[in-house]
Amino acid sequence: MRDLLNSFQKLEFDKVKKYIQKYCISDLGREQIEHLVPFSNIPTIRNSLALVSEMKQILESDNPLPIDNIFDIRAGIQRSSIDNYILSSEDLFKIKYLLKTSRDIRTYFNQRLKVYPLLLDRIRDIHIEKILEYNIARAIDDDGKVKDDASKELYSIRKQIIEKSHTIKRNLELLLKSIVGADWVQEEIITTREGRMVIPVKVEHKNRLPGFIHSASASGATVYIEPAETLEMNNEIRTLTFQEQREIEKILKELTIQVREAKDNLQNNIEILADLDFIQAKAKYSIQIIGSEPRISTEGSIRYLNCYHPILLQRHGRKDVIPLTMELPSTINTVIITGPNAGGKSVAMKTVGLLSLLAQSGCHIPASPESELRIFSDFFVDIGDEQSIENDLSSFSSHLNNLKIIIENANSNSLVLIDEIGSGTDPLEGASLAASILEELTNKASLNIATTHHGTLKSFAFETRSIENAAMEFDMATLKPTYKFRLGIPGSSYAIEMAERMNMPTSIIHRSRELKGSEASKLENLIIDLERQSLELKAQLDNVSQEKTNLNNLNFVYQTKITTLEKEVKDIRSRAIDEANNIVQKANAVIERSVREIKESAAERHIIKKAKTDVRMVSEEFNKMLNEIKSAPNEIGFKIGDQVKLKQSNTVGEVLSKLDDNSYIIQTGDIRIKVNRANLLISNHRSITPAHSANTSTALSVEIKHEIDLRGMYGDDAINAVDKFIDEAILSGLNRIDIIHGKGTGALRKKISEYLKTHSAIKSFRLGEWNEGGTGVTVIELK
């Protein structure tokens, strides 16, 4: 990743990193943030973003990581490999803390093996040094001091020191009491000098107390004397102190050797824990900015949806910052943003650059999770005035120098951001130069975003392939920017309009418009009118979108209520069936008991026969009630696949589709019929549908007529029509039907008669009476 033109600093990447550093708990984590740079490898970027997502999940919904601090003990670990080097007790305490934290982290993720797979993989190489941790904990207390019982020898030495110190103190207290009355002492206290107990004596009485003078006060009025009678015992304590120090060094040296043997594992643990702190800081930052993990585009298109500039978000808060939405297809390589000053052009461009840096650094961005970013290997940013007196560079010269570097180094994996391209010189020449440079960068297939006030670049963008105009939306009523990005439409600078709104003299306004020229005014007015129409259209689309959302919500509520109602109907029917079954069972029990009583009473046979008949009648009555419950019309309707029966008929079929609230298409045998819902009942018997029915069935209406007119039809066509008509009549439960074939030559009548003789469903047929159509009609009676 190349940072040419100091682009990262221009995009204020360092400011965001400092902000993220505040969430680190250790200097090691802050150090990683300090050295954070963007990646250009897509798998690495995706993995880094996903790690932050997992850590964010922990922070938002799980117990916190058992990691309060990470001491930087890298120097101590390295020095432990030096011969005869002894780590301090403070260093060993920090190592013990590191080992405990490592063990706690391993336990934490082992309890969540399938929840955070990426983080688990990251800490998989943590080493648990239980023996080293135990040995240090046994010797070093929580204050970083060597414990009394770190060894038997040390315990014995310290015990003797304490005992002798108490003895000396008692002797000195007795001596002090004996000389207080003589007014020799400056204060009635026992203090220490150079590790030995002494008594403060007035300088004029120093020769009256035998002993060793250790020092005097700053004023010289007091001397500190170690009485002769405690000298020997103080010497013994001093000797014990030397022994104590040697024993401590022995203990620390042994622990240092153990640390040296685990040096590599300890170094590895430090790096892993520092990395966890680093990831956790990025996750905390994501929570603070309401960030999300963006998608990574591999096809060249970009979608920055509801994005916020991180610095503005930090400074003003989400409510006071207008989000940016910028969507560019892969066919567009260059975007030229025009519009008034302070309209948000530069901020939009910087937002794209800074969010790309953050995402490629594995940081979540303040944007919609549907955002899709392109990956860049180089960033080129030319923003701001970089004139240099020392290097004898004007603003325009510096601008040209930056453009030269960009042209020489940009490629298809570069992001190029240029603010006010071609400015700082003659407008005509600057615009021409800008157009040439943008054309060259477009051919290089880098993603280029440039801002400008040059009007000629608007038409250049319109006429040039892979270059698109864009503008920051402007409220023409208030002449204030709305800070919303709009692709495909150039923006106006509104300089004269803003001057007019600020009460510039009318003569100046009129003259400026005259000097601007009629053609330029026409173009500017066209742009303004186009922008106005676009805003109106956008408002209408927003209203339509809102209405669509409302309709979708209503539809969801409706469907939810329908589903609930269907479930309630099913529950009611189920309960009714259960209750009916219970009633039948109870009735059967009562009747059977009556029969048994009759038998036991030796009743006559006809009485017993009558009782059994009653049993059958009661059972049939309840079964009829049960069938009525099961076959009750479904007020909600029938579902596709339901087995149904036509009322007043034994015809059973399967629901194939629903035409409307009152009509269904039913498959029965190899025929499909249209049936009104009121004529259908739920059936417990399944219809038999031939395998070829899907190809041969014909959709018929359930409202069958009693007659069919065959006049004008010939031979086989007429027979097929009659066959189909008879099937419909049978399904409709008709007993009589009429076939109108006309009188004519009688050929059709004869063919129909021959066919009817072979039809198994025909009970009888005859020619019609004079009032039924005579010989032009055949009357059929169905079985």
Side-chain angles (χ1 to χ4, degrees):
M1 174 67 65
R2 294 185 295 175
D3 178 17
L4 300 177
L5 303 180
N6 207 18
S7 298
F8 293 179
Q9 183 177 347
K10 291 176 183 177
L11 292 174
E12 301 180 287
F13 184 48
D14 288 341
K15 288 186 178 180
V16 180
K17 290 200 298 184
K18 288 181 180 178
Y19 191 71
I20 299 175
Q21 281 181 323
K22 296 179 181 178
Y23 295 106
C24 292
I25 62 173
S26 70
D27 291 336
L28 293 168
R30 284 183 279 273
E31 185 178 299
Q32 287 209 31
I33 297 292
E34 181 68 27
H35 295 111
L36 179 64
V37 293
F39 306 107
S40 57
N41 179 269
I42 290 179
T44 301
I45 294 170
R46 285 175 172 162
N47 182 261
S48 298
L49 290 170
L51 281 168
V52 176
S53 296
E54 285 191 359
M55 185 66 77
K56 185 175 178 181
Q57 183 181 345
I58 290 176
L59 295 173
E60 291 179 329
S61 59
D62 207 335
N63 294 328
L65 284 182
I67 178 172
D68 300 322
N69 194 6
I70 308 169
F71 294 108
D72 186 0
I73 56 172
R74 291 173 296 181
I77 292 175
Q78 291 299 323
R79 286 195 291 266
S80 69
S81 60
I82 301 173
D83 291 339
N84 298 320
Y85 183 82
I86 299 176
L87 290 170
S88 68
S89 58
E90 289 80 8
D91 286 340
L92 289 167
F93 165 75
K94 293 176 181 178
I95 292 173
K96 179 190 73 170
Y97 194 89
L98 168 75
L99 292 171
K100 180 182 181 303
T101 302
S102 300
R103 178 167 48 81
D104 291 344
I105 287 292
R106 169 59 70 82
T107 301
Y108 183 92
F109 284 104
N110 282 345
Q111 294 171 348
R112 300 162 173 80
L113 291 175
K114 297 183 179 179
V115 184
Y116 312 111
L118 295 178
L119 287 171
L120 177 64
D121 186 65
R122 183 65 190 91
I123 64 97
R124 196 178 301 278
D125 293 332
I126 278 186
H127 293 275
I128 307 302
E129 298 284 348
K130 289 185 178 180
I131 296 177
L132 177 58
E133 181 186 352
Y134 172 79
N135 289 340
I136 296 177
R138 192 174 63 84
I140 309 297
D141 62 21
D142 291 338
D143 294 323
K145 305 296 182 183
V146 178
K147 294 180 178 180
D148 292 346
D149 58 353
S151 71
K152 292 181 179 180
E153 184 65 23
L154 182 62
Y155 180 81
S156 175
I157 292 171
R158 286 185 172 176
K159 183 178 180 182
Q160 293 181 60
I161 291 173
I162 293 171
E163 291 174 350
K164 291 184 181 297
S165 296
H166 286 167
T167 301
I168 292 175
K169 189 173 183 180
R170 284 195 301 270
N171 291 341
L172 289 177
E173 286 173 349
L174 292 173
L175 178 61
L176 186 61
K177 288 181 181 179
S178 67
I179 63 175
V180 166
D183 197 28
W184 293 356
V185 296
Q186 192 73 20
E187 294 180 80
E188 192 177 346
I189 61 170
I190 298 172
T191 185
T192 58
R193 286 293 183 272
E194 299 176 359
R196 303 172 77 93
M197 294 186 188
V198 296
I199 295 175
V201 178
K202 294 179 180 179
V203 66
E204 59 268 25
H205 300 297
K206 65 181 180 180
N207 294 324
R208 295 190 177 187
L209 182 63
F212 180 79
I213 298 175
H214 281 271
S215 62
S217 63
S219 64
T222 304
V223 293
Y224 297 94
I225 299 176
E226 180 183 357
E229 56 193 86
T230 62
L231 278 172
E232 184 61 29
M233 196 168 291
N234 264 328
N235 288 337
E236 292 177 4
I237 291 177
R238 191 61 176 260
T239 300
L240 288 171
T241 302
F242 290 141
Q243 293 177 9
E244 177 192 28
Q245 189 59 39
R246 286 194 296 271
E247 184 62 23
I248 288 174
E249 289 180 358
K250 178 182 176 182
I251 294 170
L252 296 180
K253 185 174 182 179
E254 176 59 33
L255 292 174
T256 300
I257 293 172
Q258 295 180 39
V259 169
R260 182 187 306 154
E261 294 172 351
K263 180 185 69 172
D264 293 339
N265 290 343
L266 292 173
Q267 185 66 39
N268 177 71
N269 287 6
I270 291 174
E271 293 174 0
I272 293 175
L273 294 181
D275 201 28
L276 285 180
D277 185 25
F278 167 69
I279 297 170
Q280 183 173 249
K282 292 198 289 185
K284 290 179 179 178
Y285 173 70
S286 177
I287 293 173
Q288 197 277 329
I289 63 172
I290 314 179
S292 61
E293 176 184 344
R295 299 175 180 176
I296 303 301
S297 171
T298 57
E299 300 178 355
S301 60
I302 62 171
R303 300 174 71 224
Y304 291 83
L305 307 179
N306 292 321
C307 299
Y308 294 83
H309 190 286
I311 305 298
L312 293 180
L313 189 62
Q314 176 185 341
R315 188 178 302 158
H316 301 290
R318 186 170 287 261
K319 291 183 179 180
D320 296 328
V321 179
I322 305 298
L324 168 72
T325 292
M326 180 186 294
E327 298 186 61
L328 301 178
S330 58
T331 54
I332 295 178
N333 293 331
T334 300
V335 177
I336 299 176
I337 307 177
T338 51
N341 287 317
K345 301 189 301 296
S346 299
V347 172
M349 185 172 61
K350 286 182 175 180
T351 301
V352 170
L354 183 53
L355 294 188
S356 294
L357 285 176
L358 284 172
Q360 289 186 220
S361 301
C363 297
H364 286 186
I365 60 174
S368 165
E370 301 299 318
S371 297
E372 191 170 11
L373 277 59
R374 178 175 161 185
I375 301 304
F376 305 102
S377 59
D378 303 303
F379 287 76
F380 299 94
V381 180
D382 181 32
I383 294 177
D385 186 0
E386 295 186 19
Q387 64 177 327
S388 172
I389 297 176
E390 181 181 352
N391 296 325
D392 194 25
L393 285 176
S394 66
S395 297
F396 183 65
S397 298
S398 175
H399 184 53
L400 285 180
N401 186 58
N402 290 343
L403 293 176
K404 177 176 178 292
I405 294 173
I406 292 173
I407 293 171
E408 291 174 348
N409 293 277
N411 55 51
S412 59
N413 295 318
S414 301
L415 174 64
V416 178
L417 306 176
I418 306 174
D419 193 27
E420 300 296 349
I421 187 170
S423 63
T425 188
D426 177 77
L428 181 59
E429 293 186 358
S432 301
L433 183 63
S436 177
I437 291 171
L438 291 176
E439 188 175 54
E440 175 67 18
L441 291 173
T442 301
N443 292 334
K444 287 177 175 287
S446 55
L447 178 60
N448 316 291
I449 302 177
T451 67
T452 186
H453 285 284
H454 290 306
T456 55
L457 290 180
K458 302 174 186 178
S459 57
F460 168 74
F462 180 77
E463 296 168 352
T464 308
R465 184 180 179 182
S466 299
I467 300 180
E468 187 63 88
N469 274 305
M472 301 306 293
E473 191 175 275
F474 198 78
D475 189 335
M476 289 170 289
T478 62
L479 290 180
K480 292 182 178 179
T482 63
Y483 304 107
K484 295 180 179 179
F485 177 83
R486 302 176 59 216
L487 184 68
I489 299 177
S492 174
S493 294
Y494 294 99
I496 298 177
E497 287 77 8
M498 292 178 71
E500 185 176 20
R501 186 175 181 82
M502 295 179 68
N503 298 319
M504 188 73 75
T506 305
S507 59
I508 298 293
I509 300 299
H510 288 328
R511 181 56 179 161
S512 65
R513 288 193 170 118
E514 291 174 1
L515 294 173
K516 182 178 178 182
S518 59
E519 291 301 320
S521 295
K522 287 180 182 178
L523 176 61
E524 202 67 26
N525 290 335
L526 181 61
I527 292 174
I528 292 173
D529 188 55
L530 183 62
E531 187 168 0
R532 178 184 57 76
Q533 293 181 24
S534 178
L535 285 173
E536 291 175 355
L537 180 60
K538 183 176 181 298
Q540 293 175 9
L541 288 175
D542 289 343
N543 289 335
V544 171
S545 177
Q546 183 61 46
E547 289 297 326
K548 182 179 178 182
T549 301
N550 293 339
L551 288 174
N552 287 337
N553 291 337
L554 287 174
N555 183 58
F556 175 76
V557 172
Y558 172 76
Q559 292 297 333
T560 302
K561 289 183 177 180
I562 287 293
T563 302
T564 303
L565 189 56
E566 287 179 343
K567 184 177 183 303
E568 290 177 354
V569 169
K570 289 180 179 178
D571 291 343
I572 291 171
R573 294 178 65 199
S574 177
R575 288 196 298 271
I577 291 172
D578 291 340
E579 291 174 3
N581 282 326
N582 290 334
I583 292 172
V584 170
Q585 291 174 3
K586 290 179 181 179
N588 284 336
V590 170
I591 296 172
E592 289 294 336
R593 185 174 63 252
S594 298
V595 171
R596 186 173 60 254
E597 290 173 353
I598 292 173
K599 287 182 178 181
E600 292 173 353
S601 61
E604 297 179 0
R605 290 181 60 84
H606 72 276
I607 296 177
I608 296 174
K609 183 176 181 181
K610 183 179 182 301
K612 287 187 176 181
T613 302
D614 291 341
V615 170
R616 187 177 66 255
M617 292 178 63
V618 171
S619 179
E620 289 176 352
E621 182 180 352
F622 279 109
N623 286 333
K624 180 180 179 182
M625 179 180 66
L626 183 61
N627 289 330
E628 288 177 354
I629 292 174
K630 290 181 179 180
S631 303
N634 191 332
E635 296 301 327
I636 302 302
F638 301 95
K639 299 191 300 296
I640 293 175
D642 281 354
Q643 297 298 309
V644 293
K645 185 180 77 169
L646 276 67
K647 287 185 177 178
Q648 310 302 326
S649 164
N650 292 323
T651 302
V652 177
E654 179 182 340
V655 177
L656 292 184
S657 63
K658 181 179 180 181
L659 298 179
D660 52 45
D661 289 341
N662 293 312
S663 301
Y664 295 86
I665 293 295
I666 308 301
Q667 176 86 43
T668 174
D670 58 355
I671 297 177
R672 294 181 184 178
I673 58 175
K674 174 185 174 184
V675 186
N676 189 285
R677 187 182 70 176
N679 294 324
L680 291 176
L681 298 172
I682 286 290
S683 172
N684 293 325
H685 300 286
R686 189 168 185 86
S687 65
I688 300 176
T689 304
H692 64 280
S693 63
N695 297 323
T696 61
S697 62
T698 304
L700 300 176
S701 171
V702 77
E703 311 199 351
I704 303 297
K705 295 181 179 179
H706 289 75
E707 62 184 24
I708 183 172
D709 192 345
L710 302 178
R711 287 176 294 183
M713 300 177 68
Y714 296 95
D716 293 339
D717 290 340
I719 296 300
N720 289 337
V722 169
D723 184 61
K724 195 184 304 179
F725 178 60
I726 292 174
D727 287 341
E728 294 174 357
I730 293 171
L731 288 172
S732 299
L734 300 179
N735 294 319
R736 168 187 161 160
I737 55 176
D738 297 342
I739 298 178
I740 303 173
H741 40 65
K743 297 178 181 178
T745 62
L748 181 59
R749 180 182 70 240
K750 183 179 179 181
K751 195 169 185 67
I752 294 298
S753 296
E754 290 175 353
Y755 170 74
L756 294 178
K757 291 177 182 179
T758 63
H759 202 296
S760 60
I762 305 299
K763 182 176 181 182
S764 64
F765 65 92
R766 61 178 174 80
L767 292 176
E769 300 293 340
W770 65 269
N771 59 345
E772 294 175 328
T775 59
V777 174
T778 296
V779 179
I780 300 173
E781 184 179 357
L782 299 173
K783 291 181 180 179

